[in-house]
Amino acid sequence: MGRINELRLIARVAQMYHAEHKRQAEIAETLRMSQATVSRMLKRAEQEDIVRTTIIPPPGTFAELETALREKYRLTEAIVIDCSEDRDGAVMARIGEAAAHFLEVTLQQDEIIGVSSWSQTILRMVDNIHPLKAAKAKYIVQILGGMGEASVQAHATQLTARLAKLTGGEPRLLLVQGITSSREAKLVMLSDPVVRGTMDFFGRLTLAVVGIGAVEPSELLARSGNTFSREELAMLHDAGAVGEISFRFYDKDGKPVETPLNERVIGITLEELRKTDRVMALAGGESKTAAIAGALRLGIIDVLVTDKFTAARLTE
Amino acid sequence: MGRINELRLIARVAQMYHAEHKRQAEIAETLRMSQATVSRMLKRAEQEDIVRTTIIPPPGTFAELETALREKYRLTEAIVIDCSEDRDGAVMARIGEAAAHFLEVTLQQDEIIGVSSWSQTILRMVDNIHPLKAAKAKYIVQILGGMGEASVQAHATQLTARLAKLTGGEPRLLLVQGITSSREAKLVMLSDPVVRGTMDFFGRLTLAVVGIGAVEPSELLARSGNTFSREELAMLHDAGAVGEISFRFYDKDGKPVETPLNERVIGITLEELRKTDRVMALAGGESKTAAIAGALRLGIIDVLVTDKFTAARLTE
DNA sequence: GACGGTCGTGAATATTTATGCTTATCCAGC
DNA sequence: GCTGGATAAGCATAAATATTCACGACCGTC
């Protein structure tokens, strides 16, 4: 009896507020009640489902997949990009682009950014960064040594330097092999004060941008030439390794896989990544699905940028 | 290219804000941007139609009709009530109930309320007023003399007194005939200081609650007995009178109709009503449609309470 | 390549909204 | 009929949100 009149009034208040864009104080005056009452009525309007707010995701975005990813893997943020097909080149480009935009918008003053500089996807990200959007980074730190021959290494260096320039930061390069030939060789490298200087930043990063690699013999071999021995590959495989970040391996449950190989890598460790404020991972593609799933279970990734097909597989 | 990423982010912010009920400051922190930017993004989300707010009128309410009425007749407020059929008794009861609720909610401290105390609908309103809702009225003023025989007059007096009691105000009665037998008789009545005292309030009302009467010989005669002469009725008719408020007549365009009858009425004038802060009219029913339409065109009514059928006819 | 206009930003601040507190009333149970 | 707890209101004020401001970068013209 009284309820219908009450609801009518609430609906009217909601209409004035939401549709006619009147201030609560104005509504209160028109309807001769206090602003507090109007505020409370608006709250009730939501409870009674008289006003309903719908979020319509813009076409080409995948809010649902993102939410599912965030919730399943406890991410701060997930970015899922559209792509017509699984073709790797296109996917990487789109991931890089989205990551670039996100980075630009969320970049803070004086960040210390670590970048895993040999990933193709990260390269695409740097390609797409719009030079400087107000905030300036402090240092751009290369968090993994170079790969393969000198000319390829130069690429990595350039990427880091370019990112540094675009963000206004100072580059901190790691001019050594990412994977040394032996434990001893690594120790020699580490004796270089410049190398140590760069590596000192690993524990002080405010943001790390990393790629995720799959553990498939073919891929690893293709990428790194003969850096891995047949035994090492077998060892990784036996230990259940499914992927790597900065050549630190882990299994499908997100448990780090310790092998002697660790001793040969010059790059950030998973522990150091864990201590980093924000870790942003860029990866997509069918072949990397297991690697990404494992990486997410490590619990060190805050932001994932991937494609819709991979996202769908990850949330299954 | 960049736009899709931008929209994605806006949608994400909108989701966090509207669906997850996070504060802007919290969103800003999560996404490493300023609260100002979040606020701006939310505004853009509305512009881009990424968030859409819908007001769902509760069943049994008629927001559209109300809006149409408000706009067509420039009302502050229109209240349209549901009723299954045009049966007058039921309609009056519902109108009275709705008016009572509105009055309760919008009643201010120390109002001086004028009430046209012989309308059946207003009687139903008073019946439905929930005794006192915080605010107390100052005076309840009877704005039209009594009608017909003494026993009926007592009714009117009681209504005013009851409303006074319910609202905590002091009643100001008008213990005279609403329509005197002649101009001279009226002057005699007006010489009574008590009557004058009540009438002095007519110009100081903060709220007037009035009924609207149709000009149909049958109805007028039925209601008022033989108070009108055949000549007067003819005069009203010739002048195009379609309705009355407090026995002040007007035509279909909302132009007051001046006849010698005016000289015999003891009650508030249209001019006095015009000066009143809020004038609330209660009326519904097929037969009163023209009278209501004319009344609304007078431009003195702020709030109309009516039924859905009448509202529909009025907005045609 | 310098110049004015536009745009977008964060910090500070103004405005608007939500809420804690107090009071008054109502209702249920005694 | 009286008391205790619940409810709802307004006021004052805290909290949240919008806007102003000043500044720096970008862009198209000269």
Side-chain angles (χ1 to χ4, degrees):
Chain A
M1 27 167 275
R3 184 168 159 81
I4 188 78
N5 291 313
E6 197 184 352
L7 292 183
R8 198 208 70 87
L9 189 59
I10 290 176
R12 175 83 186 103
V13 168
Q15 185 178 52
M16 287 172 110
Y17 187 75
H18 293 289
E20 298 167 25
H21 303 289
K22 298 224 168 83
R23 306 265 145 247
Q24 292 185 7
E26 194 183 346
I27 298 169
E29 198 180 0
T30 311
L31 265 44
R32 323 278 166 137
M33 45 179 83
S34 74
Q35 175 269 317
T37 301
V38 173
S39 173
R40 288 176 183 127
M41 279 185 165
L42 287 169
K43 192 193 270 181
R44 272 205 65 197
E46 305 226 325
Q47 289 166 355
E48 301 278 357
D49 214 36
I50 289 171
V51 302
R52 203 175 288 177
T53 337
T54 332
I55 288 129
I56 301 154
T61 68
F62 305 91
E64 288 215 2
L65 280 174
E66 293 177 353
T67 304
L69 280 175
R70 276 200 309 275
E71 290 179 352
K72 180 165 182 186
Y73 298 105
R74 308 266 168 182
L75 298 170
T76 311
E77 191 58 18
I79 298 175
V80 174
I81 56 95
D82 199 6
C83 52
S84 39
E85 10 149 17
D86 253 318
R87 197 168 54 75
D88 270 12
V91 172
M92 283 180 185
R94 304 299 307 274
I95 291 177
E97 191 188 289
H101 177 261
F102 186 78
L103 192 68
E104 280 173 35
V105 174
T106 66
L107 193 62
Q108 309 231 269
Q109 201 63 240
D110 297 326
E111 293 228 48
I112 302 175
I113 308 176
V115 59
S116 173
S117 54
W118 55 267
S119 145
Q120 191 70 15
T121 315
I122 292 177
L123 176 61
R124 308 318 297 263
M125 178 187 86
V126 176
D127 282 345
N128 278 287
I129 286 181
H130 207 70
L132 272 161
K133 202 106 182 178
K136 273 183 166 58
K138 202 162 186 180
Y139 298 110
I140 307 300
V141 184
Q142 182 176 342
I143 58 176
L144 178 62
M147 288 292 132
E149 35 178 309
S151 71
V152 179
Q153 292 211 21
H155 249 133
T157 306
Q158 273 177 30
L159 183 149
T160 309
R162 193 138 60 90
L163 181 59
K165 189 157 196 179
L166 287 166
T167 56
E170 188 183 317
R172 290 291 170 153
L173 300 173
L174 203 56
L175 295 170
V176 291
Q177 284 285 341
I179 301 181
T180 56
S181 54
S182 70
R183 187 166 180 274
E184 290 67 32
K186 175 177 170 182
L187 290 174
V188 171
M189 304 286 191
L190 295 192
S191 66
D192 178 345
V194 177
V195 170
R196 298 294 296 267
T198 297
M199 291 181 74
D200 280 348
F201 282 104
F202 290 1
R204 296 170 45 206
L205 301 179
T206 61
L207 168 64
V209 184
V210 301
I212 293 172
V215 173
E216 287 185 7
S218 60
E219 204 182 322
L220 276 182
L221 284 172
R223 221 166 43 195
S224 54
N226 287 327
T227 45
F228 297 115
S229 70
R230 194 168 299 275
E231 291 77 32
E232 282 165 341
L233 287 176
M235 210 184 308
L236 283 171
H237 186 265
D238 291 348
V242 298
E244 52 81 20
I245 290 176
S246 183
F247 279 104
R248 309 300 181 175
F249 294 85
Y250 49 78
D251 67 16
K252 67 176 169 49
D253 301 317
K255 204 166 75 56
V257 168
E258 299 288 340
T259 69
L261 225 166
N262 257 335
E263 306 283 302
R264 290 171 48 201
V265 174
I266 298 183
I268 200 165
T269 64
L270 294 178
E271 274 319 303
E272 283 162 337
L273 281 174
R274 192 181 300 282
K275 283 186 292 193
T276 302
D277 256 15
R278 276 202 296 173
V279 176
M280 202 167 149
L282 278 51
E286 169 98 58
S287 59
K288 288 193 176 173
T289 307
I292 298 169
L296 294 174
R297 292 202 178 89
L298 280 168
I300 65 174
I301 292 171
D302 301 294
V303 181
L304 173 71
V305 187
T306 192
D307 65 274
K308 67 173 174 184
F309 298 111
T310 307
R313 286 188 296 263
L314 287 170
T315 53
E316 259 164 20
Chain B
M1 24 165 277
R3 183 168 159 80
I4 188 80
N5 290 313
E6 197 184 351
L7 291 183
R8 199 207 68 87
L9 190 59
I10 290 176
R12 176 80 185 106
V13 168
Q15 187 178 51
M16 289 172 109
Y17 188 76
H18 293 289
E20 299 166 25
H21 303 289
K22 299 228 170 81
R23 308 265 144 245
Q24 292 185 7
E26 193 183 346
I27 298 169
E29 199 180 359
T30 311
L31 265 45
R32 322 278 166 138
M33 46 179 84
S34 71
Q35 176 269 320
T37 302
V38 173
S39 173
R40 288 177 185 123
M41 280 185 165
L42 287 169
K43 191 193 268 179
R44 270 205 65 199
E46 305 227 323
Q47 290 165 355
E48 301 278 356
D49 215 35
I50 289 172
V51 301
R52 203 175 288 176
T53 338
T54 331
I55 288 128
I56 302 154
T61 68
F62 305 91
E64 287 215 3
L65 281 173
E66 292 176 354
T67 304
L69 281 175
R70 275 200 309 277
E71 289 179 353
K72 181 164 182 185
Y73 297 106
R74 308 266 166 181
L75 298 171
T76 311
E77 192 57 17
I79 297 175
V80 174
I81 56 94
D82 199 6
C83 51
S84 40
E85 13 150 15
D86 253 317
R87 197 167 56 74
D88 270 13
V91 172
M92 281 181 186
R94 304 297 310 272
I95 290 178
E97 192 190 290
H101 177 261
F102 186 79
L103 192 68
E104 279 174 36
V105 174
T106 66
L107 193 63
Q108 309 229 269
Q109 201 61 242
D110 296 327
E111 292 229 47
I112 302 175
I113 308 175
V115 59
S116 173
S117 53
W118 54 267
S119 145
Q120 190 71 13
T121 315
I122 291 178
L123 176 60
R124 306 321 295 264
M125 178 186 87
V126 176
D127 282 344
N128 279 287
I129 286 182
H130 207 71
L132 274 159
K133 200 108 182 176
K136 274 183 166 56
K138 202 162 187 177
Y139 297 110
I140 307 300
V141 184
Q142 181 176 343
I143 58 178
L144 177 61
M147 288 291 132
E149 37 180 307
S151 71
V152 179
Q153 291 211 22
H155 249 132
T157 305
Q158 272 175 30
L159 183 148
T160 307
R162 193 139 58 91
L163 181 59
K165 189 157 198 180
L166 287 166
T167 58
E170 189 183 317
R172 291 291 170 153
L173 301 172
L174 202 59
L175 295 170
V176 291
Q177 285 285 339
I179 300 182
T180 56
S181 55
S182 69
R183 186 165 182 273
E184 290 68 32
K186 174 175 170 182
L187 290 175
V188 172
M189 305 287 190
L190 296 193
S191 66
D192 177 345
V194 176
V195 170
R196 297 292 297 266
T198 297
M199 292 182 74
D200 280 348
F201 281 104
F202 290 0
R204 297 169 46 207
L205 300 179
T206 61
L207 168 64
V209 184
V210 301
I212 294 172
V215 173
E216 286 184 11
S218 62
E219 202 182 325
L220 274 181
L221 284 171
R223 218 165 46 195
S224 52
N226 286 326
T227 46
F228 297 114
S229 69
R230 193 169 299 277
E231 291 77 33
E232 282 165 340
L233 287 176
M235 210 184 310
L236 283 171
H237 185 267
D238 291 349
V242 297
E244 53 79 20
I245 290 177
S246 183
F247 280 105
R248 308 301 180 175
F249 293 86
Y250 48 79
D251 66 17
K252 68 176 169 51
D253 302 317
K255 204 166 76 57
V257 167
E258 298 288 341
T259 70
L261 224 167
N262 256 336
E263 305 283 302
R264 289 172 48 203
V265 174
I266 297 183
I268 201 165
T269 64
L270 294 178
E271 274 320 303
E272 282 162 338
L273 280 174
R274 190 181 302 281
K275 282 186 292 192
T276 302
D277 256 15
R278 278 201 297 173
V279 176
M280 203 168 148
L282 277 51
E286 169 97 57
S287 60
K288 286 194 177 173
T289 306
I292 297 170
L296 294 174
R297 293 203 178 89
L298 281 168
I300 64 175
I301 292 171
D302 300 294
V303 180
L304 173 71
V305 186
T306 192
D307 65 275
K308 68 173 174 185
F309 298 111
T310 307
R313 288 188 294 262
L314 286 170
T315 52
E316 259 163 20

